[in-house]
Amino acid sequence: MTIIVEDVIVDHRTENGIVRALECETLRVSSATSLAIMGPSGCGKSTLLGLLAGLALPTRGRVTIDDVVVSERSERDRVRFRRQALGMVYQADNLLPHLTVEENVGLQLAICDLSPIDNPVLDPAVVLRRLGLEHLARRFPDQLSGGQRQRVAVARAIVHRPTVILADEPTGALDADTAAVVIELLVEVQREIGATLVVVTHDPDIAGRVDETMQLARPTITAALSHAH
Amino acid sequence: MLIRYVLADLLRNPRRTLSTMVGVTLGVGLFCGVLFFVDGLSASMTQRAVAPLAIDMQRIATERTGGSLGLTQSFEPPGRLAAGARARVVLEVTNSGDVDANEVTVRSLPGPGLRFVVGSAEMDGEPVTAIDDSPFAHGPGNTGLNLGSVGPATSHRLSYLVEADTDVELTDAAVATSQSTRESVNPVAANEPSSVSLAELATLVAGVDGVADAAPLSLADLGPDTLSAGGVAAAGPAKIFGFDGDYARRDATIDIVGGELTPDGAVVSAEAADGVGVGVGDRVSILLPDDSTLELPVTGIADLSRSRSLFSSRRGGDLETFIYSRNSVVVSPERFADTVQPAFERAAAARGTRLKSPPIREIDIALDRDLLHADPATAATQTTRIAAEVSAVAAHQDYLLDNISNTLAVASDDARVAKRLFVFLGVPGGFLAAMLAAYSGTVLAEAQRREQATLRIRGASRGHLLRMLAMRTALLTAIGSVVGLAIGYLAAVVILGQESLARASATSLATSAVLGTVGGCLATGIALYLTGRRSIDREINEDRARLSVRPPLWRRAGLDVIGVAVVAIGTLVALATHAFDGVPGSVYFGRAVELNLALLVLPVAVWITGSLLAARLIGNALDRSQPKSSASVGRPLTSLFRLSVGRRPWAIGNGAIVVSLIVALATSLAAFTASYDAAKAEDARYANGADLRITPSPTAPRPYTIDDADVFATDGVAATTPVIYGLSNVILRSDRTSDPANLAAVDPVSYPTVAPLREIRFTTNGAATAFDSLQHDPDAILLSEDMADFLETGPGNTLNVLLARATDQQVEVELHIAGVYQRLPGFPDGADALMAIDRHDAEVPTKAPDFFLGAAAAPDDASLDRAVASLRAGPGAADDLQIDTRTSTLAKDQSSLAALNISGLVDLDSAFSLSMAVVTIAIFVFGLLLSRRREYITLRAQGLESRTIRLLITAEAGTVALGGVIFGVLVGSAMGFYFVKVLRPLFVLTPTYTLPIGGLAAPVLLVLAATLVSSLAASRLVSRLEPTELLRDE
């Protein structure tokens, strides 16, 4: 899926006025490629990722994914888009603590109303095996190490074979070795399933493993916007 | 610095602050509300207790029918008597009346230091020699000298010598001398001032501080056929009263329907006027005991049938009995004193024996009730002081019946019981408030966990965090307490009314405010602090371990099992010792309600144990229901729900405990109130005889017969039945003995359908069989247990009954005893025998029913009101009907029950409980949201519909609510049952446990509605959360 961002601005209302969180003139990620978004803290990387996921809407501008203007769709449509096309990995694993590893992964399929019976490649067991997690399938997240948990998060993000994978600092909480393993997995799987991958990161090593890198600058105007809008 | 941070934290998280503070507010509000309620109630107890009292105090003049006998004592020489010296004690007995004083006995006993000189006694100058020791204090009993009869205007001089062992001042105290007569057996000390007249006494008593009014009343029983006119005598005994127009005007129940009371005339009761056929302007003859006749013009006709001041019994221990005499005549006080009283005195002197029923002369005293303190105990002190002052006025010539102090003494005992009871009923609410505070504290701690972790990372020590917690707790409890204080006061005002609270003293209210605020503050503050402290002490890394299905502390400690043992053992002990059996209170018997407060532990134990057991069942069931791990998850909503509740069962269980406790308390209070109201209504219905008791006025133009019951079957009246009843209206004669008795004649078919009969009241064969006998066997009669014992007879034996006793219609019939009962409804004075009204009518056809009993169409009060309205509009429009209902009987109830206003307290408790239920559910839901928002946001990011998330939240909250409600109702039912058992002494009849299913709908629906609304609100909040930020946060 091709991702296009055009003239996007995100402003947040605060007690002290309006603060600009993101300013992105243009961004294009071709289908089945990968992009790393880098930039200083506060430049709006995660905000941009939220826009791509349809979790937030821009104050101005358009976000188009595969000819669908996500930023103009309803919440229901955006939820459907996330369910069908999106896989997400975060710095925090965000696994459901009361679900086992296989249940966390299987739940994504259930949400997407997909069944491994119809399509064996969607079998969570296969995915877990692919990620080296098959022996941990019945463990709860609090029984795993940080790296293991993040691999489970990756498994959850790809089990339904999404066309877009969004990763927000996926290795931020991991040591370098574990981070390398996780990012390697992510890229491998992305290529394997032909998804478009967008990774937000501070890590140049990760940026070096993806097809393209984009530097996002801090918004040009921040607090000065107050009351002007 | 810390305080600024805490303040900022509280202000910037208003939802969190408010949700925590609401527990404190409700807790303090409930504590204060209950205490203010008790203040207000105590402030109205005096007025409620004395309201039904007909006469506050009665100065009863002692029997002086034997004439005015005086006794003086003097000493020759007077003054101080040196040791070894002698003096003569001179006693002068004088009869200044106009009739003989009989059996005049003079008793004189020298005090310490004085000795009687043997042989020195003289009477009218003659030595009294027949007795070896002192003839004035003879033998071990110090018997006095009997002078025999002392005629009018006669005096006797008695004297004797005393010798001093030590120096003695010769005063009345040094030698105790008194006189008594056959007519006036109470000894009167020598040198007592001469007795004042009744009118003078009334004037003196009226001047006592605190007395509003004092009026003389004289009354005497006359024999049968003593009231006549033109040769026609009124059937049955008569009663004569002496009082003036002021007395009549003061007592609204004395209804002079025609004419007036004049000094020279007589007012005749309506029944007597009908009986002898006189009206105003005619003359009546009254045959007095000395066989003289008093002829007076009839100047008025009166309906006296409701006058409690005239017809209440004057016998001690029986003061509540209303002894009505149909044949009554009222004369002026002067006429009574000049003519009636002397006639009795002459009769007493002539017959040589004491009169069986001498005239009673009394001063009826009304106190200024507005001056009485609102608290019955303090008011009792006031009335006791007034009583002492009243007694001191012209003392020794009579005695005082202090009805109001007796009533207030019982009321003050009841007030003490009520306060303990109220505080007890308030304690569960307080416990709930503390739990709620702890629960909200847990949620607050959960919400602050992350912030505290951040503060620790930045260098904050445990001490810093604890100080901040203490500040936060202090601020929350302080503000919550102030708001709670206001809410508690307002709640008490709403339930009791501003007027009741205004009557309470400022000190009492201030004390309650301080106690309620400090108590509530401490309970909720400690709960809040401890939960926060536990959270601080918990290591951050333990967060994930919370997933552990390890049961909570109470479960591991087996508190629920211990509770079951406590309840079981406590119940067994109570049953074995008959501790549940109580004795009801009675003002008349001077007995306050006695509650075994130790037993109140049982309902509380049932409450807590039941809720813990409920949580155990819920937790275990959910634990077992969790599915095994599988990659095939199934439908998201059901799977997520099953996995969530199955793997976190104790979160649901603990939430259910709080809901169960609240619903159980509301249920038990509803059950107790329903049982209480039903039992009180049943008590009143039993006392009244039925829902309705219709007594035609004696002045009613229409005579009613036993066939006139249908006249009263108006709209809203389902059935009516006639009743003939009178005090000592028959003589019952068995093979062994006979006795005057109160007979009731009823219709055996309609009476059981109208009157509340209970099988247990019949000791033989049951009510149905007994009334069946009356219906089919005209010779059957039922007898009370007491009367059967007295007559030494029983079922199957014959009994001779003299019907219409002491009337010209009297007739003796031979009946046989068909059954024995304990007591019957509708006859507070007791019905000794019961026969069929048709048989009575056949024997005494002229006897009209004394009253009719009626059943309302439905048991509710509205139906009863409708029935009364239709009676007033129907037959009541033509005739003056006295309509007593179960509610009016209940209102007249002078016992502590009426004053307790338990319903008000229950309303207060219920209102706070329901508020807490709503808050608990809200806190649970929002707590869920706080602790799981990341889960919900993750699910949103994964593509789960908002609707599904909303349903998930609702399902979890609903499980807590539903589980809590179901078990709460069950636990509350058991708790209510124990409440009724423990509070048994509040009822006269054994109360039937009533669970108001309809009444439970409100709290149940409220809890469920709160669940739904909270869940929807929480779902909206989930939708408004900023997912990008939440998802990236670690």
Side-chain angles (χ1 to χ4, degrees), chain A residues 46 55 79 82-83 90 92-94 97-98 100 102-103 106-108 110-111 138 140 142 156, chain B residues 544 547 629-631 633-634 644 647-648 934-935 938 940-943 945 1028 1031-1033:
Chain A
S46 295
L55 290 169
V79 168
R82 285 200 294 271
R83 192 162 59 224
Y90 319 93
D93 58 72
N94 287 332
H98 57 292
T100 61
E102 60 184 355
E103 285 167 348
L107 177 64
Q108 184 64 61
I111 290 172
R138 302 206 164 176
F140 289 100
D142 65 336
R156 180 180 63 183
Chain B
R544 288 175 181 279
L547 259 186
S629 176
S630 166
V633 170
S644 182
R647 301 234 170 102
R648 296 183 279 212
R934 182 185 288 264
E935 289 178 29
T938 303
R940 264 183 70 192
Q942 284 184 259
E945 301 269 6
T1028 312
L1031 288 170
R1032 62 185 288 220
D1033 280 349

Tab-separated table of all heavy atoms in Angstrom, chain A residues 46 55 79 82-83 90 92-94 97-98 100 102-103 106-108 110-111 138 140 142 156, chain B residues 544 547 629-631 633-634 644 647-648 934-935 938 940-943 945 1028 1031-1033:
chain	number	residue	atom	x	y	z
A	46	SER	N	5.708	10.335	16.506
A	46	SER	CA	4.632	9.436	16.950
A	46	SER	C	3.271	9.962	16.510
A	46	SER	O	2.361	9.196	16.187
A	46	SER	CB	4.657	9.285	18.466
A	46	SER	OG	5.844	8.643	18.857
A	55	LEU	N	-5.531	6.677	14.131
A	55	LEU	CA	-5.871	6.838	15.550
A	55	LEU	C	-6.123	8.305	15.884
A	55	LEU	O	-6.702	8.619	16.906
A	55	LEU	CB	-4.728	6.301	16.427
A	55	LEU	CG	-4.560	4.782	16.412
A	55	LEU	CD1	-3.254	4.386	17.082
A	55	LEU	CD2	-5.732	4.109	17.096
A	79	VAL	N	-11.424	2.297	11.897
A	79	VAL	CA	-11.268	1.071	12.684
A	79	VAL	C	-11.185	-0.125	11.735
A	79	VAL	O	-10.345	-1.021	11.901
A	79	VAL	CB	-12.448	0.913	13.665
A	79	VAL	CG1	-12.461	-0.493	14.268
A	79	VAL	CG2	-12.372	1.952	14.772
A	82	ARG	N	-7.828	-0.239	10.185
A	82	ARG	CA	-6.795	-0.765	11.085
A	82	ARG	C	-6.912	-2.280	11.199
A	82	ARG	O	-5.919	-3.004	11.223
A	82	ARG	CB	-6.957	-0.143	12.490
A	82	ARG	CG	-6.493	1.270	12.592
A	82	ARG	CD	-6.220	1.669	14.036
A	82	ARG	NE	-7.425	1.698	14.852
A	82	ARG	CZ	-8.208	2.753	14.992
A	82	ARG	NH1	-7.920	3.868	14.329
A	82	ARG	NH2	-9.259	2.702	15.747
A	83	ARG	N	-8.158	-2.726	11.275
A	83	ARG	CA	-8.375	-4.160	11.464
A	83	ARG	C	-7.870	-4.949	10.265
A	83	ARG	O	-7.242	-5.988	10.407
A	83	ARG	CB	-9.887	-4.373	11.652
A	83	ARG	CG	-10.258	-5.721	12.125
A	83	ARG	CD	-11.655	-5.738	12.694
A	83	ARG	NE	-12.653	-5.310	11.727
A	83	ARG	CZ	-13.652	-4.472	11.993
A	83	ARG	NH1	-13.761	-3.936	13.192
A	83	ARG	NH2	-14.530	-4.160	11.075
A	90	TYR	N	4.811	-1.147	19.209
A	90	TYR	CA	5.113	0.066	19.979
A	90	TYR	C	6.379	-0.156	20.807
A	90	TYR	O	6.884	-1.272	20.922
A	90	TYR	CB	3.963	0.398	20.938
A	90	TYR	CG	2.598	0.189	20.335
A	90	TYR	CD1	1.939	-1.025	20.495
A	90	TYR	CD2	1.993	1.195	19.585
A	90	TYR	CE1	0.706	-1.233	19.939
A	90	TYR	CE2	0.749	0.989	19.030
A	90	TYR	CZ	0.099	-0.221	19.201
A	90	TYR	OH	-1.110	-0.443	18.641
A	92	ALA	N	6.431	0.161	24.018
A	92	ALA	CA	5.888	-0.759	25.021
A	92	ALA	C	5.213	-1.893	24.262
A	92	ALA	O	4.651	-1.667	23.196
A	92	ALA	CB	4.870	-0.037	25.887
A	93	ASP	N	5.300	-3.068	24.826
A	93	ASP	CA	4.754	-4.198	24.075
A	93	ASP	C	3.221	-4.119	23.974
A	93	ASP	O	2.628	-4.585	23.026
A	93	ASP	CB	5.185	-5.518	24.721
A	93	ASP	CG	4.756	-5.635	26.155
A	93	ASP	OD1	3.547	-5.825	26.398
A	93	ASP	OD2	5.609	-5.535	27.073
A	94	ASN	N	2.594	-3.534	25.013
A	94	ASN	CA	1.142	-3.395	25.016
A	94	ASN	C	0.406	-4.714	24.818
A	94	ASN	O	-0.667	-4.768	24.214
A	94	ASN	CB	0.669	-2.389	23.961
A	94	ASN	CG	0.990	-0.962	24.371
A	94	ASN	OD1	1.065	-0.657	25.563
A	94	ASN	ND2	1.257	-0.103	23.406
A	97	PRO	N	-2.256	-8.343	29.503
A	97	PRO	CA	-1.543	-9.117	30.526
A	97	PRO	C	-2.242	-10.414	30.932
A	97	PRO	O	-1.591	-11.316	31.432
A	97	PRO	CB	-1.468	-8.149	31.711
A	97	PRO	CG	-2.561	-7.177	31.489
A	97	PRO	CD	-2.722	-7.052	30.021
A	98	HIS	N	-3.555	-10.479	30.693
A	98	HIS	CA	-4.266	-11.681	31.137
A	98	HIS	C	-4.410	-12.697	30.022
A	98	HIS	O	-5.090	-13.716	30.198
A	98	HIS	CB	-5.650	-11.293	31.666
A	98	HIS	CG	-6.491	-10.545	30.681
A	98	HIS	ND1	-6.201	-9.281	30.257
A	98	HIS	CD2	-7.610	-10.902	30.020
A	98	HIS	CE1	-7.119	-8.872	29.392
A	98	HIS	NE2	-7.981	-9.848	29.229
A	100	THR	N	-2.431	-15.278	27.270
A	100	THR	CA	-1.148	-15.927	27.010
A	100	THR	C	-0.587	-15.414	25.688
A	100	THR	O	-1.276	-14.684	24.950
A	100	THR	CB	-1.312	-17.460	26.923
A	100	THR	OG1	-2.204	-17.749	25.836
A	100	THR	CG2	-1.866	-18.037	28.211
A	102	GLU	N	-0.006	-17.038	22.881
A	102	GLU	CA	-0.761	-17.461	21.704
A	102	GLU	C	-2.127	-16.783	21.647
A	102	GLU	O	-2.661	-16.522	20.571
A	102	GLU	CB	-0.923	-18.979	21.666
A	102	GLU	CG	-1.654	-19.562	22.855
A	102	GLU	CD	-1.690	-21.091	22.796
A	102	GLU	OE1	-1.232	-21.659	21.790
A	102	GLU	OE2	-2.181	-21.701	23.769
A	103	GLU	N	-2.683	-16.479	22.828
A	103	GLU	CA	-3.983	-15.792	22.846
A	103	GLU	C	-3.830	-14.338	22.388
A	103	GLU	O	-4.677	-13.808	21.669
A	103	GLU	CB	-4.581	-15.827	24.252
A	103	GLU	CG	-5.145	-17.184	24.624
A	103	GLU	CD	-5.440	-17.320	26.108
A	103	GLU	OE1	-5.001	-16.445	26.889
A	103	GLU	OE2	-6.078	-18.308	26.488
A	106	GLY	N	-3.481	-14.722	18.757
A	106	GLY	CA	-4.732	-15.222	18.166
A	106	GLY	C	-5.839	-14.185	18.212
A	106	GLY	O	-6.718	-14.167	17.342
A	107	LEU	N	-5.791	-13.327	19.224
A	107	LEU	CA	-6.847	-12.317	19.366
A	107	LEU	C	-6.885	-11.385	18.157
A	107	LEU	O	-7.945	-10.977	17.704
A	107	LEU	CB	-6.623	-11.497	20.643
A	107	LEU	CG	-7.614	-10.346	20.869
A	107	LEU	CD1	-9.032	-10.878	21.063
A	107	LEU	CD2	-7.204	-9.516	22.078
A	108	GLN	N	-5.677	-11.080	17.601
A	108	GLN	CA	-5.643	-10.185	16.439
A	108	GLN	C	-6.407	-10.820	15.273
A	108	GLN	O	-7.133	-10.151	14.544
A	108	GLN	CB	-4.189	-9.904	16.045
A	108	GLN	CG	-4.031	-8.900	14.915
A	108	GLN	CD	-4.544	-7.524	15.291
A	108	GLN	OE1	-4.058	-6.891	16.226
A	108	GLN	NE2	-5.568	-7.049	14.572
A	110	ALA	N	-8.817	-12.956	15.626
A	110	ALA	CA	-10.235	-12.939	15.968
A	110	ALA	C	-10.837	-11.577	15.683
A	110	ALA	O	-11.951	-11.470	15.162
A	110	ALA	CB	-10.415	-13.295	17.440
A	111	ILE	N	-10.071	-10.532	15.988
A	111	ILE	CA	-10.583	-9.172	15.729
A	111	ILE	C	-10.779	-8.963	14.231
A	111	ILE	O	-11.740	-8.337	13.786
A	111	ILE	CB	-9.607	-8.126	16.313
A	111	ILE	CG1	-9.653	-8.178	17.844
A	111	ILE	CG2	-9.933	-6.734	15.812
A	111	ILE	CD1	-8.595	-7.314	18.523
A	138	ARG	N	2.198	-20.608	25.733
A	138	ARG	CA	1.200	-20.633	26.819
A	138	ARG	C	1.634	-19.823	28.038
A	138	ARG	O	1.046	-19.948	29.111
A	138	ARG	CB	0.908	-22.066	27.211
A	138	ARG	CG	0.415	-22.845	26.009
A	138	ARG	CD	-0.445	-23.989	26.332
A	138	ARG	NE	-1.162	-24.425	25.141
A	138	ARG	CZ	-1.946	-25.462	25.106
A	138	ARG	NH1	-2.113	-26.173	26.195
A	138	ARG	NH2	-2.570	-25.788	23.998
A	140	PHE	N	2.267	-16.224	30.065
A	140	PHE	CA	1.691	-14.886	30.142
A	140	PHE	C	2.802	-13.868	29.937
A	140	PHE	O	3.984	-14.164	30.180
A	140	PHE	CB	1.017	-14.661	31.500
A	140	PHE	CG	-0.253	-15.448	31.659
A	140	PHE	CD1	-0.273	-16.636	32.378
A	140	PHE	CD2	-1.439	-14.995	31.081
A	140	PHE	CE1	-1.436	-17.368	32.517
A	140	PHE	CE2	-2.609	-15.721	31.219
A	140	PHE	CZ	-2.620	-16.913	31.940
A	142	ASP	N	3.926	-11.481	31.613
A	142	ASP	CA	4.816	-11.182	32.743
A	142	ASP	C	5.774	-12.328	33.026
A	142	ASP	O	6.609	-12.229	33.916
A	142	ASP	CB	4.004	-10.821	33.986
A	142	ASP	CG	3.178	-11.964	34.518
A	142	ASP	OD1	2.854	-12.873	33.708
A	142	ASP	OD2	2.861	-11.970	35.718
A	156	ARG	N	2.077	-10.445	16.905
A	156	ARG	CA	0.693	-9.955	16.918
A	156	ARG	C	0.456	-8.970	15.766
A	156	ARG	O	-0.610	-8.946	15.158
A	156	ARG	CB	0.406	-9.259	18.250
A	156	ARG	CG	-0.979	-8.712	18.359
A	156	ARG	CD	-1.206	-8.033	19.681
A	156	ARG	NE	-0.326	-6.866	19.836
A	156	ARG	CZ	-0.271	-6.115	20.946
A	156	ARG	NH1	-1.024	-6.434	21.983
A	156	ARG	NH2	0.532	-5.086	21.026
B	544	ARG	N	2.824	-6.473	37.187
B	544	ARG	CA	2.351	-7.550	36.341
B	544	ARG	C	1.930	-8.765	37.159
B	544	ARG	O	1.086	-9.530	36.751
B	544	ARG	CB	3.443	-7.940	35.346
B	544	ARG	CG	3.630	-6.889	34.295
B	544	ARG	CD	4.795	-7.211	33.386
B	544	ARG	NE	4.978	-6.166	32.396
B	544	ARG	CZ	4.270	-6.073	31.277
B	544	ARG	NH1	3.331	-6.953	31.023
B	544	ARG	NH2	4.493	-5.101	30.429
B	547	LEU	N	-1.597	-10.041	38.030
B	547	LEU	CA	-2.377	-10.983	37.247
B	547	LEU	C	-2.570	-12.302	37.969
B	547	LEU	O	-3.439	-13.086	37.639
B	547	LEU	CB	-1.645	-11.260	35.954
B	547	LEU	CG	-2.156	-10.526	34.744
B	547	LEU	CD1	-1.433	-11.008	33.531
B	547	LEU	CD2	-3.647	-10.702	34.615
B	629	SER	N	-5.603	-22.041	27.602
B	629	SER	CA	-4.907	-21.230	26.588
B	629	SER	C	-5.044	-21.869	25.221
B	629	SER	O	-4.858	-23.079	25.049
B	629	SER	CB	-3.425	-21.117	26.967
B	629	SER	OG	-2.754	-20.421	25.963
B	630	SER	N	-5.405	-21.030	24.252
B	630	SER	CA	-5.538	-21.534	22.885
B	630	SER	C	-5.324	-20.374	21.935
B	630	SER	O	-5.764	-19.244	22.204
B	630	SER	CB	-6.927	-22.131	22.671
B	630	SER	OG	-7.164	-22.329	21.299
B	631	ALA	N	-4.667	-20.666	20.827
B	631	ALA	CA	-4.450	-19.620	19.832
B	631	ALA	C	-5.753	-19.290	19.113
B	631	ALA	O	-5.908	-18.217	18.539
B	631	ALA	CB	-3.398	-20.065	18.831
B	633	VAL	N	-8.947	-18.020	19.421
B	633	VAL	CA	-9.569	-17.226	20.474
B	633	VAL	C	-11.084	-17.208	20.381
B	633	VAL	O	-11.786	-17.201	21.377
B	633	VAL	CB	-9.006	-15.784	20.442
B	633	VAL	CG1	-9.788	-14.865	21.354
B	633	VAL	CG2	-7.544	-15.814	20.841
B	634	GLY	N	-11.614	-17.255	19.190
B	634	GLY	CA	-13.071	-17.184	19.042
B	634	GLY	C	-13.539	-15.747	18.931
B	634	GLY	O	-12.763	-14.843	18.612
B	644	SER	N	-10.892	-12.300	30.659
B	644	SER	CA	-10.655	-11.236	31.640
B	644	SER	C	-11.195	-11.610	33.010
B	644	SER	O	-10.489	-11.522	34.018
B	644	SER	CB	-11.304	-9.938	31.146
B	644	SER	OG	-11.040	-8.905	32.057
B	647	ARG	N	-9.450	-14.869	34.465
B	647	ARG	CA	-8.056	-14.753	34.906
B	647	ARG	C	-7.882	-13.668	35.957
B	647	ARG	O	-6.809	-13.500	36.508
B	647	ARG	CB	-7.174	-14.457	33.694
B	647	ARG	CG	-7.279	-15.570	32.632
B	647	ARG	CD	-5.954	-16.130	32.254
B	647	ARG	NE	-6.112	-17.331	31.438
B	647	ARG	CZ	-5.963	-17.348	30.111
B	647	ARG	NH1	-5.671	-16.223	29.484
B	647	ARG	NH2	-6.095	-18.473	29.452
B	648	ARG	N	-8.918	-12.865	36.168
B	648	ARG	CA	-8.849	-11.838	37.230
B	648	ARG	C	-10.099	-11.962	38.110
B	648	ARG	O	-10.837	-10.996	38.297
B	648	ARG	CB	-8.771	-10.442	36.602
B	648	ARG	CG	-7.487	-10.256	35.796
B	648	ARG	CD	-7.345	-8.870	35.219
B	648	ARG	NE	-8.100	-8.687	34.007
B	648	ARG	CZ	-7.719	-7.891	33.006
B	648	ARG	NH1	-6.585	-7.218	33.091
B	648	ARG	NH2	-8.465	-7.749	31.950
B	934	ARG	N	-4.953	1.183	28.978
B	934	ARG	CA	-3.970	0.805	27.957
B	934	ARG	C	-4.457	-0.416	27.172
B	934	ARG	O	-4.272	-0.505	25.960
B	934	ARG	CB	-2.628	0.510	28.622
B	934	ARG	CG	-1.530	0.163	27.636
B	934	ARG	CD	-0.292	-0.235	28.388
B	934	ARG	NE	0.345	0.921	29.011
B	934	ARG	CZ	1.355	1.580	28.444
B	934	ARG	NH1	1.811	1.232	27.282
B	934	ARG	NH2	1.902	2.594	29.057
B	935	GLU	N	-5.083	-1.339	27.910
B	935	GLU	CA	-5.641	-2.517	27.218
B	935	GLU	C	-6.692	-2.097	26.202
B	935	GLU	O	-6.701	-2.574	25.056
B	935	GLU	CB	-6.300	-3.464	28.230
B	935	GLU	CG	-5.347	-4.197	29.140
B	935	GLU	CD	-6.074	-5.066	30.147
B	935	GLU	OE1	-7.186	-5.522	29.830
B	935	GLU	OE2	-5.537	-5.261	31.253
B	938	THR	N	-5.133	-0.351	23.265
B	938	THR	CA	-4.447	-1.316	22.404
B	938	THR	C	-5.456	-2.052	21.531
B	938	THR	O	-5.239	-2.253	20.335
B	938	THR	CB	-3.671	-2.333	23.279
B	938	THR	OG1	-2.770	-1.619	24.107
B	938	THR	CG2	-2.916	-3.327	22.417
B	940	ARG	N	-8.308	-0.953	20.632
B	940	ARG	CA	-8.781	-0.013	19.606
B	940	ARG	C	-7.793	0.048	18.455
B	940	ARG	O	-8.160	0.047	17.287
B	940	ARG	CB	-8.925	1.386	20.206
B	940	ARG	CG	-10.318	1.723	20.649
B	940	ARG	CD	-10.353	3.148	21.165
B	940	ARG	NE	-10.191	4.129	20.113
B	940	ARG	CZ	-9.951	5.433	20.328
B	940	ARG	NH1	-9.858	5.879	21.566
B	940	ARG	NH2	-9.834	6.264	19.329
B	941	ALA	N	-6.511	0.118	18.824
B	941	ALA	CA	-5.487	0.187	17.790
B	941	ALA	C	-5.444	-1.092	16.958
B	941	ALA	O	-5.090	-1.072	15.780
B	941	ALA	CB	-4.125	0.443	18.433
B	942	GLN	N	-5.825	-2.195	17.615
B	942	GLN	CA	-5.826	-3.466	16.882
B	942	GLN	C	-7.037	-3.585	15.966
B	942	GLN	O	-7.142	-4.533	15.209
B	942	GLN	CB	-5.825	-4.635	17.863
B	942	GLN	CG	-4.470	-4.873	18.512
B	942	GLN	CD	-4.496	-6.093	19.407
B	942	GLN	OE1	-4.600	-5.977	20.610
B	942	GLN	NE2	-4.432	-7.266	18.791
B	943	GLY	N	-7.953	-2.634	16.092
B	943	GLY	CA	-9.098	-2.658	15.186
B	943	GLY	C	-10.381	-3.123	15.834
B	943	GLY	O	-11.359	-3.420	15.139
B	945	GLU	N	-13.850	-2.732	17.495
B	945	GLU	CA	-14.860	-1.668	17.452
B	945	GLU	C	-15.061	-1.052	18.848
B	945	GLU	O	-15.010	-1.757	19.866
B	945	GLU	CB	-16.206	-2.257	17.009
B	945	GLU	CG	-16.196	-2.923	15.658
B	945	GLU	CD	-16.560	-1.940	14.555
B	945	GLU	OE1	-16.694	-0.744	14.881
B	945	GLU	OE2	-16.683	-2.367	13.402
B	1028	THR	N	-2.244	7.758	20.848
B	1028	THR	CA	-0.843	7.824	20.434
B	1028	THR	C	0.074	7.924	21.645
B	1028	THR	O	1.085	7.226	21.748
B	1028	THR	CB	-0.632	9.042	19.514
B	1028	THR	OG1	-1.657	9.040	18.518
B	1028	THR	CG2	0.714	8.981	18.865
B	1031	LEU	N	-0.139	4.663	23.978
B	1031	LEU	CA	0.457	3.447	23.443
B	1031	LEU	C	1.986	3.482	23.491
B	1031	LEU	O	2.631	2.458	23.610
B	1031	LEU	CB	-0.005	3.241	21.990
B	1031	LEU	CG	-1.470	2.830	21.852
B	1031	LEU	CD1	-1.911	2.897	20.397
B	1031	LEU	CD2	-1.668	1.421	22.395
B	1032	ARG	N	2.539	4.688	23.398
B	1032	ARG	CA	4.005	4.743	23.378
B	1032	ARG	C	4.573	4.781	24.792
B	1032	ARG	O	5.748	4.529	24.993
B	1032	ARG	CB	4.498	5.932	22.562
B	1032	ARG	CG	4.075	7.263	23.117
B	1032	ARG	CD	4.510	8.349	22.176
B	1032	ARG	NE	5.960	8.501	22.239
B	1032	ARG	CZ	6.575	9.687	22.204
B	1032	ARG	NH1	5.868	10.785	22.101
B	1032	ARG	NH2	7.870	9.770	22.243
B	1033	ASP	N	3.740	5.147	25.778
B	1033	ASP	CA	4.253	5.221	27.147
B	1033	ASP	C	4.617	3.844	27.664
B	1033	ASP	O	3.899	2.888	27.452
B	1033	ASP	CB	3.170	5.806	28.073
B	1033	ASP	CG	3.145	7.321	27.947
B	1033	ASP	OD1	4.075	7.867	27.337
B	1033	ASP	OD2	2.171	7.925	28.435
